[in-house]
Amino acid sequence: MTIRSGWAAAQARNTVYLALWTGAWLVTLAVASLGPALLWDGHGAITLVALGVNLAVGAGMVLANKRHLLGLDELHRAVQLEAMAWTLGIGLVGGPAWQALETAKLLPFDAEIGHLMMGMALTYLVALAVGLRRFA
Amino acid sequence: MKNRLKVLRAERDWSQADLAAALEVSRQTVNAIETGRFDPSLPLAFRIARVFGCTIEAIFQEDPAPPS
C-alpha cells in the first residue's frame, strides 16, 4: 500500500512555519531589547517602531503556533495539552512565589520576568519530552 | 481497551507508517493505539474501521471490568 500523506506534509510545513516565526520573534525581541542601548542610542520613536514590529511578529508566531496545534493528531494534541497544563500551572504557582522570595529579600538577585519565562520554557520542554516518551 | 490493529495490519501487509498515512495520524499514534497505550477518539475509531472495512466492534474490545 503506498499512500502519500498530505497530512504529514502539512504537518511538516506547519512545524517549519512555527520555527521560522519563532526565530523571527526572537530576533525582533533582541533588536527591541538591545537596540536602544547598542544601535540607536535610546531614540524613543525607533524603539516604539521596534516594539511594534516585535508585537506584530509575535502575533504571527501565536497564530502559527495555533495552526500547528490544530494540525496535530489527537495523541500529540493530548501530549501538548498536558505539557501546557504543567507549564501554565507551574508558571501561575511559581511566578508569585518567586516574586514573594524577592519581596522577602531571600534572593541574592532581582526576580525578573525572564526567570519566569525560562522556568516555563524548561517546564514545557520537560513535560513534552516525558509525554512523547510515554507513547514512544 | 484491547484491539486487533496489529493483526489486521499484518493481514494486509501494511506497515505502521502505511496505516498512519491512511488515517492521517503519526506513526507514533498508530503504535500507541496498537500497544494499548492510547485509546482513539470515536471519529478516529470510525476512520480505522473504514480503512479496514469492518466495524469498530470487530477491531476494539473493551477490557474486562476488574473484579470488585
Side-chain angles (χ1 to χ4, degrees):
Chain A
M1 187 171 100
T2 53
I3 295 176
R4 175 91 182 114
S5 173
W7 175 83
Q11 268 294 103
R13 202 167 45 242
N14 286 346
T15 305
V16 170
Y17 284 154
L18 178 58
L20 290 174
W21 276 107
T22 304
W25 175 73
L26 283 171
V27 168
T28 60
L29 181 64
V31 170
S33 303
L34 304 175
L38 301 177
L39 297 175
W40 54 79
D41 200 23
H43 197 291
I46 300 176
T47 302
L48 282 177
V49 170
L51 279 172
V53 171
N54 173 243
L55 288 174
V57 175
M61 180 184 71
V62 169
L63 292 175
N65 187 40
K66 181 171 171 256
R67 188 177 183 163
H68 174 255
L69 289 173
L70 290 176
L72 293 173
D73 67 24
E74 53 191 67
L75 180 143
H76 286 91
R77 232 182 277 173
V79 169
Q80 289 278 352
L81 179 68
E82 196 171 310
M84 287 189 284
W86 277 109
T87 304
L88 179 64
I90 286 179
L92 197 66
V93 172
W98 191 244
Q99 180 68 47
L101 277 177
E102 189 196 33
T103 306
K105 302 192 186 318
L106 292 173
L107 285 181
F109 46 81
D110 291 339
E112 292 180 14
I113 191 73
H115 300 151
L116 179 63
M117 287 177 68
M118 191 76 80
M120 290 177 78
L122 287 174
T123 302
Y124 174 73
L125 287 174
V126 170
L128 195 63
V130 169
L132 289 173
R133 189 179 161 81
R134 192 188 323 147
F135 294 112
Chain B
M1 200 162 58
K2 292 186 298 184
N3 67 77
R4 297 179 55 238
L5 226 58
K6 192 171 184 176
V7 173
L8 291 166
R9 195 168 53 74
E11 284 173 0
R12 288 156 180 80
D13 200 22
W14 293 350
S15 66
Q16 286 186 343
D18 291 333
L19 181 58
L23 295 171
E24 300 201 323
V25 297
S26 63
R27 193 203 56 76
Q28 192 181 16
T29 297
V30 169
N31 182 54
I33 295 171
E34 254 186 32
T35 51
R37 279 174 291 158
F38 180 73
D39 290 334
S41 66
L42 198 53
L44 180 54
F46 271 114
R47 284 215 305 276
I48 293 169
R50 197 164 52 241
V51 163
F52 286 118
C54 50
T55 62
I56 289 177
E57 295 89 332
I59 302 172
F60 296 98
Q61 294 88 40
E62 194 179 14
D63 275 331
S68 54

